[in-house]
Amino acid sequence: MKQLEDKIRDEGQALSEHVLKVDAFLNHQVDPVLMQAIDREFADRFRDAGIDRIVTLESSGIAPAMMTALEMDIPFVFARKRKSLTLQDDLVEADIYSFTKQETNRISLSRRFVQPGEHVLVIDDFLANGEAALGLTQLVESAGAVVAGVGIVIEKSFQPGRDKLLERGYQVESLARIAKLEAGEISFMEVVR
């Protein structure tokens, strides 16, 4: 997706060989025009998959998931990283490790919002080692629903996340696939659609 790649080049920062900072438009400040383009792209790529609902992870996945849900005219729900007083009963849970934050989080989703047999699209902001996406697919399947696909805004293709998801048979659609990060330089993979 050229518009996203241009935004990453212009406003993203390669802090190291493994860390890409995109807080100017995706995971702190959000560019709504870019989100609208992202939602259309995800909707186009998954339009024929019979999606009933979108699941994402708080907080950076919320903007692209919500906009895609709006475009597809379906509900979305986000998994919580921290339990609250109102999120206690009938949960599905999974543990995910964040390499960026160097911590493990137990994520939770109420079974009430993901029904058995539904076809669910998982959307997340980043794919690197695959921990978050795999945790989300685990929640969906634990609730008795079917993972119809995984939509990723930015994929670090030099890390094993995509392979882990493909090994499990999921359709993976990444809008920007990064081939390499070097301090100050970002290289994209050539992807033929």
Side-chain angles (χ1 to χ4, degrees):
M1 186 178 159
K2 184 177 180 340
Q3 183 179 353
L4 177 58
E5 289 180 2
D6 289 347
K7 191 69 139 174
I8 293 168
R9 276 190 195 96
D10 294 344
E11 297 182 34
Q13 294 176 300
L15 299 180
S16 72
E17 295 173 349
H18 297 284
V19 179
L20 175 63
K21 184 176 180 180
V22 291
D23 64 345
F25 60 91
L26 180 61
N27 59 15
H28 194 52
Q29 175 171 269
V30 177
D31 179 335
V33 174
L34 178 63
M35 286 305 113
Q36 192 169 42
I38 285 170
D39 79 20
R40 289 184 187 127
E41 188 67 26
F42 279 141
D44 285 346
R45 292 187 188 197
F46 290 103
R47 191 158 315 275
D48 297 327
I51 307 294
D52 299 303
R53 182 176 312 271
I54 294 172
V55 169
T56 192
L57 183 59
E58 69 174 342
S59 62
S60 298
I62 291 175
M66 181 171 62
M67 295 296 286
T68 304
L70 182 64
E71 178 73 18
M72 297 179 85
D73 194 25
I74 58 174
F76 92 99
V77 62
F78 60 90
R80 306 285 297 264
K81 292 181 185 174
R82 306 248 189 294
K83 284 189 183 178
S84 70
L85 292 175
T86 62
L87 186 67
Q88 298 289 329
D89 299 323
D90 204 19
L91 304 177
V92 289
E93 298 180 316
D95 290 328
I96 60 169
Y97 180 74
S98 169
F99 290 88
T100 307
K101 296 176 183 165
Q102 299 288 301
E103 66 184 22
T104 298
N105 287 296
R106 174 154 286 186
I107 59 173
S108 305
L109 186 67
S110 174
R111 289 178 191 272
R112 191 174 118 195
F113 299 121
V114 178
Q115 300 299 307
E118 283 186 329
H119 288 77
V120 175
L121 172 59
V122 169
I123 289 184
D124 205 10
D125 62 336
F126 268 97
L127 177 62
N129 290 296
E131 293 290 318
L134 287 169
L136 289 169
T137 63
Q138 182 182 339
L139 293 181
V140 169
E141 291 171 348
S142 293
V146 175
V147 176
V150 178
I152 302 295
V153 178
I154 301 170
E155 175 187 328
K156 294 186 226 173
S157 296
F158 54 89
Q159 292 182 284
R162 171 179 279 274
D163 291 337
K164 290 177 184 178
L165 292 167
L166 292 175
E167 285 171 9
R168 288 169 175 79
Y170 302 126
Q171 175 187 351
V172 180
E173 295 289 338
S174 299
L175 303 186
R177 293 186 64 192
I178 296 175
K180 186 176 177 184
L181 290 174
E182 296 180 55
E185 192 170 322
I186 303 162
S187 303
F188 293 94
M189 292 188 70
E190 294 291 326
V191 179
V192 179
R193 286 216 40 90

